[in-house]
Amino acid sequence: MFTQNEILETIDMLDNRHLDVRTVTLSLSLIDCIDSDAKKCNQKVYDKITRVAKRLVPVCDELAARYGIKIVNKRIAVTPVSVVGAASGDFIGLAKTLDRAGKALGVDFIGGYGALVQKSATDREQAFLKTIPEALSSTDIVCGSVNVASSRAGMNLDAIKTLGEGIKELAYLTRDDNSFGCGKLVVFCNAVDDNPFMAGAFTGFAEGECAVNVGVSGPGVVEYEINKHPDYDITSICELIKRTAFKITRLGQLIGTEAAKALNLAPGIVDLSLAPTPAVGDSVARILESIGLSKVGSCGTTAALALLNDAVKKGGVMASARVGGLSGAFIPVSEDAGMIEAARHGDINIEKLEAMTAVCSVGLDMIAVPGDTSAAVISAMIADECAIGMINNKTTAVRVIPVYGKTVGDEVDFGGLFGTAPIMRVSLGDPSAFIARGGIIPPPIHSFKN
Amino acid sequence: MKAVVSVIGKDRTGIIAAVSGKLNELDINIEDISQTIMQEYFVMIMLTDTAKSKISLDELEDALRDAVGALGVTVHVQHEDLFNAMQRV
């Protein structure tokens, strides 16, 4: 029998501290659907997704009822469409097929409208990159990601230039929706193959046929535990976060194992990222404040985030047989009540957020910037983030939204889990000559490890 | 399947009777029970075996909430595996 404290603590975490399973993401390879006949390719993709993932949503609902745990999102991540559609060239058709298949199954998102072009892009990949604005603005639940840099291959400035322009176009095409199309596109350095979180989830080429990946969450639990101990020194706080992360991750491991068993698929990874939502008590920013900062964004924020990120990994690694994905702390601005407040009052800025991305997963995430921000500036923001990831051997990403017609002082509401974003100021210098140079930034010297 | 039933609320007569009566009605066996008063709150935890019952855990939770509805206490029903996963290495 369990002790009363153990039982009450678990119930408290689930009921009052927003501990939930953020996503069960089915990773699915579509390599065998490649066909030079676009119609056949689309049919194979639709059939395979709806066949393999047929029971994903009902199984998740059953598990949620059995364990009394919220499973917030059910998602599918597929092989990058730039490859699946390379033989036919019908990328837009595939985006629409993914949208249709995902909707037929009732999943929340389907990710994989992407490309891996960190070193260079093939002719078809270049054509694919140009389709992203149309694809993501003409579908509802399709998400895209492009890997434009890696510590091993360097940084593809040509792709970054194309994507800066693409993000501007996507913002314009979805202007009636606060340019939200850009919220469905992530640009990565060192993208991971088994990430269950959107918008960056896709099935990498090292992955198997299909697997069930799980992303847990629970910033509220960590914040609550820290707040109980104002007397702890920082070493004890790290220990406390580790212990809490262990328990959170075990929940993900349980759901992942049971979901895989019920679906008769391979269990995949548990991503132990602390992912916030705009709800009160579900904020990573508030964890940093509970460690001892009056406001997230103040001096000390980067150090507090570094210890949080590391302690979460240490606790989580012990809790799961297979840890993967991004596994750290997310700092999306619009999706975190504490971040929204700090951005609204000017307590945090893009420069500080950039520094924070050097010590956590992932990057400049869900940041709204003025609609007149130039394509070159967006490309340069991406290049800066990629530089941090490339040099430090970590994943970094940019999901930035130049909201059409809005400027600093305005605020946009994306609704639901995507939250509210105050438009943030961007440095006014002009990097267009740098971006216009194009080419590849060679990988850093420490990539030559052989 | 083992389920943990926990009841928390202000102490008053009839709480255990209401919960155990409903469990009996649903053919669910109580294997262990502990009860205490913590900071004025009544806390009862039962380990139950639902093997003979056809009811699912969320239905059981709804049934127990109905049974204690008038008593002003909250009831949770959870699968034993949840506590095994989170509280045991």
Side-chain angles (χ1 to χ4, degrees), chain A residues 17 22 26-27 33 42 66 68 83 90 97 139 147 170 199 208 242 295 305 308 322 332 387-388:
Chain A
R17 312 290 159 214
R22 178 57 47 83
L26 187 81
S27 152
C33 300
N42 278 290
R66 190 194 309 167
V83 171
D90 180 26
T97 299
T139 53
N147 195 53
L170 185 51
K242 265 165 66 178
K295 273 274 162 266
L305 181 58
L308 170 67
R322 298 168 79 179
I388 291 172

Side-chain angles (χ1 to χ4, degrees), chain A residues 86-285:
Chain A
S88 69
D90 180 26
F91 302 118
I92 299 285
L94 279 168
K96 292 186 173 160
T97 299
L98 293 180
D99 203 47
R100 203 158 48 87
K103 285 174 181 167
L105 294 168
V107 298
D108 299 283
F109 289 106
I110 182 158
Y113 198 81
L116 307 173
V117 293
Q118 57 268 33
K119 191 165 184 183
S120 196
T122 62
D123 291 350
R124 274 286 159 91
E125 280 167 340
Q126 281 175 20
F128 169 83
L129 293 180
K130 298 220 190 293
T131 67
I132 290 175
E134 187 188 341
L136 298 187
S137 61
S138 61
T139 53
D140 297 312
I141 60 170
V142 174
C143 291
S145 61
V146 182
N147 195 53
V148 294
S150 77
S151 298
R152 197 77 186 172
M155 193 191 306
N156 184 344
L157 212 55
D158 292 320
I160 289 175
K161 180 172 184 293
T162 305
L163 285 166
E165 291 156 1
I167 288 169
K168 285 286 287 181
E169 191 185 338
L170 185 51
Y172 179 75
L173 291 172
T174 54
R175 61 192 179 281
D176 294 338
D177 199 14
N178 287 324
S179 299
F180 185 66
C182 303
K184 296 186 284 180
L185 175 65
V186 187
V187 184
F188 275 117
C189 169
N190 292 324
V192 293
D193 287 355
D194 51 10
N195 167 21
F197 285 104
M198 291 297 175
F202 67 92
T203 296
F205 298 106
E207 298 293 300
E209 189 63 33
C210 49
V212 180
N213 298 324
V214 174
V216 286
S217 189
V221 180
V222 178
E223 181 201 350
Y224 178 72
E225 290 298 320
I226 295 172
N227 277 332
K228 279 201 285 196
H229 301 285
D231 54 321
Y232 274 16
D233 74 355
I234 208 71
T235 315
S236 307
I237 290 290
C238 292
E239 281 303 301
L240 181 67
I241 297 170
K242 265 165 66 178
R243 283 204 305 273
T244 310
F246 175 84
K247 291 176 184 175
I248 294 172
T249 310
R250 288 288 281 234
L251 178 71
Q253 172 81 8
L254 172 69
I255 296 294
T257 309
E258 292 299 316
K261 208 189 289 172
L263 290 164
N264 200 20
L265 298 173
I269 57 91
V270 177
D271 185 320
L272 43 93
S273 291
L274 287 179
T277 71
V280 173
D282 207 15
S283 157
V284 170

Side-chain angles (χ1 to χ4, degrees), chain A residues 133 157-172 182 187 369-384 398 400-402 426-427 429-436:
Chain A
L157 212 55
D158 292 320
I160 289 175
K161 180 172 184 293
T162 305
L163 285 166
E165 291 156 1
I167 288 169
K168 285 286 287 181
E169 191 185 338
L170 185 51
Y172 179 75
C182 303
V187 184
V369 297
D372 61 0
T373 308
S374 73
V377 166
I378 291 169
S379 293
M381 284 172 88
I382 295 170
D384 280 345
V398 174
V400 66
I401 304 159
V426 180
S427 171
D430 179 14
S432 54
F434 167 57
I435 296 302

